[in-house]
């Protein structure tokens, strides 16, 4: 299939449908409204379900019900709406249900603004909802990745029976780039995917088996039973941590004097700046976490190598990922941070200036 | 010997945890009998609430989902839309449905979701220890209205059947009482009808049960029943508010 020019928000909606998402529940919010509008238009054409819910709270609970019924289901929102979904996400993680949640971040806190930002990093990677749980968090940096991550996200959600968040931002949601889609799953493939969940999900008891009593639940009043449940969750998270780390290296070598770490939209700007400083003979590399949980601690640790004198973190927030980078660096070299907040996006020239100051 | 009453198949053998005199057990049994009568045990899923009926998933012998406080109608919406071949009911209390879940019940009713909602109204929060509910009667004392519900301060009880009856979409809305054997027989008919309409995918069906909470009201079971008859029924009048199947609009 040839590439077509598409907005990020529409590309992920199209990719989700091709990945077998036939249920989508959401509430409109800028800057992700094209996503819900695309779903409203396309879902009836694939005999899918689209509901514009009365609130983000209702939307995520519809997701919980549909995920508990073993079907591929998605919701999307932007920062203030994602906060409202956190109650439901905690329940979904507790009940170990697969679903995909897209966060097209905007400036915050509070109502904030509608410009791109990365201020929900803590919320996505460290919790947000109550209790001990983890989301798998994918961090795209292009419209193509936005689309590719839709199918990855559904597969990961199914594989681990865990909610997966795609943590994008208003820049990716609103920008247009060429994108190529994977072939759509066939009805047979979708049926096969749904069948994989029949041992636990809400479904008709076809053969009248007396033992068929499937419970979608996260309540365990006995503390010892709940303790075991949470420990089991953390065994699962350890497997995810072992198998699912993804990152990109850009000009990373033993000769790097400065190592940058940036994710999502910020990483694109940093790459442009690195290209400029390379022309001046300065050696700077970049590690871009493609997934921000599980986090590529070892990759950063190894990339410090022999010659890196400083690690520089650039984010569109006040330095939330710096904590993870510091864990990876283990105090071996200084970690500096520079970022923009409030929905302001830094320019390559600004980053270049920061990088030049390191030499 | 002819068996005239037995445990419904749609109930597990797990003993109820409910307090003496509580009517959740009666309501559970009526729903289970209706599931049996309609042959739905293998095609129905229930959504349990937060509150006294939080363990309903242990009692109904079908697939069950536990919902967050107030969210049962949204969860039921997700299940029904994902599996249109399944039939879905929610079981909710007054705090769950008429306070924190007000938006979810109104909008699922307004969308005409093809689900059945069973709403147990005992005018108080039971599980959390007897606090004021949206359905607490004027001047009624609870742990959070220790001087009696002051309607000037906190408003009047919400009549959910009347509220939902302003919407166009709901198919069947009835309020029944569980306060006497005769009332329970009437309630049984309403529950059976709701489940039958559900089986036929006709639309949104809603049954409110007027019930008691002897423990948190501070009465013995029989006193609680009398109190409810004298005080709740005049405010929450039983009756059919909507029955599109029988032309009641």
């Amino acid at each position: 299939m040839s590439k077509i020019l598409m907005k990020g928000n529409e590309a992920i909606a199209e990719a989700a449908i091709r990945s077998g998402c036939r249920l989508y529940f959401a509430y409109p919010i800028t800057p992700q409204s094209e996503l819900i509008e695309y779903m409203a238009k396309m879902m009836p054409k694939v005999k899918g379900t689209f509901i514009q819910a009365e609130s983000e709270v209702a939307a995520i609970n519809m997701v919980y019900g549909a995920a508990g019924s073993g079907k591929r289901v998605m919701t999307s929102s932007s920062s203030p709406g994602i906060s409202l979904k956190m109650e439901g996400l905690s329940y979904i993680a507790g009940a170990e249900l697969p679903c995909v949640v897209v966060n097209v971040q905007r400036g915050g806190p509070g109502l904030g603004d509608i410009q791109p930002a990365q201020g929900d990093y803590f919320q996505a990677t460290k919790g947000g909802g109550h209790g001990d749980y983890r989301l798998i968090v994918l961090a795209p940096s292009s419209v193509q990745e936005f689309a590719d991550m839709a199918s990855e996200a559904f597969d990961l959600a199914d594989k681990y029976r865990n909610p997966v968040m795609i943590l994008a931002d208003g820049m990716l949601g609103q920008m247009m780039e060429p994108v190529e889609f994977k072939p759509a799953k066939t009805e047979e493939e979708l049926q096969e995917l749904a069948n994989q969940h029949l041992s636990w999900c809400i479904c008709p008891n076809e053969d009248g088996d007396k033992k068929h009593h499937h419970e979608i639940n996260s309540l365990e009043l006995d503390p010892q039973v709940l303790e075991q449940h949470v420990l089991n969750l953390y065994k699962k998270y350890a497997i995810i941590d072992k198998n699912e780390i993804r990152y990109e290296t850009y000009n990373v070598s033993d000769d790097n004097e400065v190592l940058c770490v940036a994710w999502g939209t910020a990483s694109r700007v940093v790459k442009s700046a690195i290209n400029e400083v390379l022309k001046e003979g300065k050696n700077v590399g970049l590690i871009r976490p493609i997934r921000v949980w599980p986090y590529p601690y070892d990759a950063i640790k190894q990339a410090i190598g022999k010659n890196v004198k400083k690690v520089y973190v650039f984010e569109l927030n006040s330095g939330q990922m710096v904590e993870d980078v510091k864990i990876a660096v283990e105090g071996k070299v200084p970690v500096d941070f520079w970022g923009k907040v409030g929905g302001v996006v830094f320019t390559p020239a600004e980053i270049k200036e920061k990088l030049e100051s390191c030499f | 010997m002819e068996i005239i009453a037995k445990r419904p198949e749609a109930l597990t053998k797990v003993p109820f945890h409910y307090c003496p005199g509580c009517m959740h057990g009666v309501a559970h049994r009526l729903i289970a009998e209706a599931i049996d009568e309609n042959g739905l045990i293998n095609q129905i899923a229930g959504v349990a609430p937060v509150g006294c009926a939080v363990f309903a998933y242990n009692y109904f012998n079908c697939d069950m989902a536990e919902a967050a406080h107030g969210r049962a109608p949204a969860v039921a919406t997700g299940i029904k839309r994902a599996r249109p071949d399944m039939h879905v009911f929610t079981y909710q209390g007054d705090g769950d449905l008429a306070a924190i879940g007000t938006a979810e019940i109104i909008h699922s009713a307004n969308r005409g979701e093809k689900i059945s909602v069973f709403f147990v109204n005992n005018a108080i929060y039971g599980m959390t220890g007897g606090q004021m509910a949206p359905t607490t009667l004027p001047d009624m004392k609870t742990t959070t209205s220790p001087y009696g519900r002051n309607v000037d301060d906190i408003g009047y009880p919400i009549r959910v059947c009347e509220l939902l009856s302003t919407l166009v979409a709901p198919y069947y809305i009835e309020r029944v009482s569980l306060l006497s054997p005769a009332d329970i027989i009437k309630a049984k008919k309403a529950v059976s009808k709701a489940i039958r309409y559900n089986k036929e995918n006709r639309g949104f069906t809603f049954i409110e049960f007027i019930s008691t909470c002897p423990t948190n009201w501070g009465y013995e079971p029989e006193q609680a029943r009398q109190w409810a008859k004298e005080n709740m029924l005049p405010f929450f009048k039983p009756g059919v508010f909507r029955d599109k199947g029988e032309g009641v609009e």
Side-chain angles (χ1 to χ4, degrees), chain B residues 87 91-92 98 127 146 157 167 184 189 193-194 198 220 241 246:
Chain B
H87 301 276
Y91 188 96
Q92 302 178 258
M127 177 68 99
L167 305 172
I184 292 170
K189 284 183 182 154
K193 188 189 277 185
N198 188 315
E220 288 177 7
F241 292 83
E246 299 198 353

Side-chain angles (χ1 to χ4, degrees), chain A residues 146-174:
Chain A
F146 211 177
D148 291 344
M149 282 182 184
S151 61
E152 268 179 52
F154 281 106
D155 289 345
L156 285 168
D158 276 349
K159 184 174 177 186
Y160 296 106
R161 276 180 63 184
N162 206 69
V164 176
M165 178 177 280
I166 298 178
L167 188 60
D169 62 62
M171 183 77 86
L172 292 166
Q174 295 297 321

Side-chain angles (χ1 to χ4, degrees), chain A residues 23 25 49 51 54-55 57-58 61-62 64-66 69 71 87 91 198 201-205 208 210 212-217 219 221, chain B residues 9 42 45 54-55 57-58 60-69 71 74-75 77-79 81-83 85-86 103-104 107 111 113:
Chain A
L23 295 126
F25 309 99
T49 295
I51 295 181
E54 61 270 29
S55 68
V57 177
N61 282 283
M62 291 173 190
Y64 171 91
S69 304
K71 298 293 177 74
E87 173 197 71
Y91 279 73
L198 289 178
C201 74
I202 289 174
C203 57
N205 180 6
K210 294 269 184 207
H212 179 107
H213 176 89
H214 298 164
E215 270 177 32
I216 304 303
N217 195 2
L219 176 69
L221 281 192
Chain B
E9 262 194 85
N42 292 321
V54 70
F55 296 122
Y57 53 79
N58 285 333
F60 286 105
N61 196 12
C62 58
D63 284 3
M64 295 290 290
E66 174 59 46
H69 213 157
R71 317 295 177 224
V75 174
T77 298
I79 297 170
R81 298 297 184 114
R83 295 208 172 266
D85 54 340
M86 290 286 281
E104 282 79 2
H107 287 276
R111 285 191 303 269
E113 292 296 337

Side-chain angles (χ1 to χ4, degrees), chain A residues 29-30 56 77-85 106-107 110-112 120:
Chain A
I29 181 170
T30 309
E56 285 90 347
S77 192
S78 181
S79 306
I82 292 291
S83 294
L84 289 173
K85 290 185 194 294
R106 59 191 245 183
L111 207 46
D120 303 349

Side-chain angles (χ1 to χ4, degrees), chain A residues 303-314:
Chain A
I304 294 170
K306 290 173 192 158
N307 296 314
V308 168
K309 295 184 177 57
K310 185 190 238 184
V311 175
Y312 222 138
V313 181
F314 297 102

Side-chain angles (χ1 to χ4, degrees), chain B residues 5-234:
Chain B
K6 60 172 186 167
R7 191 175 198 86
E9 262 194 85
L11 284 182
T12 63
K13 288 181 179 163
V14 179
F16 294 142
H17 72 282
Y18 301 115
C19 302
C22 169
M23 289 163 180
H24 273 308
V26 178
H28 281 18
R29 186 181 173 103
L30 297 184
I31 296 165
E33 285 177 353
I35 292 171
D36 282 3
E37 285 160 13
N38 283 282
L40 284 181
I41 192 166
N42 292 321
Q43 281 87 36
I44 198 161
V47 185
V50 172
C52 290
V54 70
F55 296 122
Y57 53 79
N58 285 333
Y59 307 138
F60 286 105
N61 196 12
C62 58
D63 284 3
M64 295 290 290
E66 174 59 46
H69 213 157
R71 317 295 177 224
V75 174
T77 298
I79 297 170
K80 183 65 183 173
R81 298 297 184 114
R83 295 208 172 266
D85 54 340
M86 290 286 281
H87 301 276
V88 187
F89 69 94
T90 74
Y91 188 96
Q92 302 178 258
D94 42 34
D96 181 272
L97 182 140
I100 198 167
T102 321
E104 282 79 2
I105 191 61
I106 289 179
H107 287 276
S108 59
N110 193 48
R111 285 191 303 269
E113 292 296 337
K114 294 179 174 65
I115 60 172
S116 296
V117 174
F118 297 105
F119 170 48
V120 179
N121 177 1
N122 59 12
I124 205 162
Y125 283 71
M127 177 68 99
T128 40
Q131 295 84 7
M132 190 184 72
T135 47
T136 293
L137 295 172
D139 301 323
M140 183 175 165
K141 285 185 181 173
T142 71
T143 60
T144 51
S145 56
Y147 309 108
R149 180 178 184 144
N150 179 349
V151 294
D152 288 336
D153 205 25
I154 201 72
Y156 287 84
I158 295 176
R159 294 179 173 119
V160 179
C161 286
E162 286 82 343
L163 193 64
L164 295 183
S165 296
T166 65
L167 305 172
V168 177
Y171 193 83
Y172 174 45
I173 300 170
E174 182 165 353
R175 179 183 291 129
V176 296
S177 148
L178 298 176
L179 301 176
S180 73
D183 289 348
I184 292 170
I185 290 167
K186 269 191 206 163
K188 171 68 195 297
K189 284 183 182 154
V191 172
S192 294
K193 188 189 277 185
I195 292 288
R196 178 165 58 81
Y197 285 163
N198 188 315
K199 183 183 181 183
E200 293 163 0
N201 280 320
R202 295 214 200 182
F204 182 86
T205 55
F206 186 90
I207 302 293
E208 173 175 346
F209 300 100
I210 298 301
S211 183
T212 59
C213 183
T215 301
N216 287 302
W217 291 357
Y219 294 135
E220 288 177 7
E222 179 54 24
Q223 286 175 318
R225 207 173 60 81
Q226 282 303 330
W227 187 90
K229 276 172 95 168
E230 287 161 22
N231 295 279
M232 285 187 76
L233 294 185

Side-chain angles (χ1 to χ4, degrees), chain A residues 337-358:
Chain A
F337 166 76
W338 194 73
K340 289 280 191 179
V341 294
V344 180
V345 180
F346 39 56
T347 64
E350 287 173 302
I351 303 293
K352 184 173 172 245
E353 196 186 315
K354 295 291 163 193
L355 291 177
E356 283 169 338
S357 74
C358 299

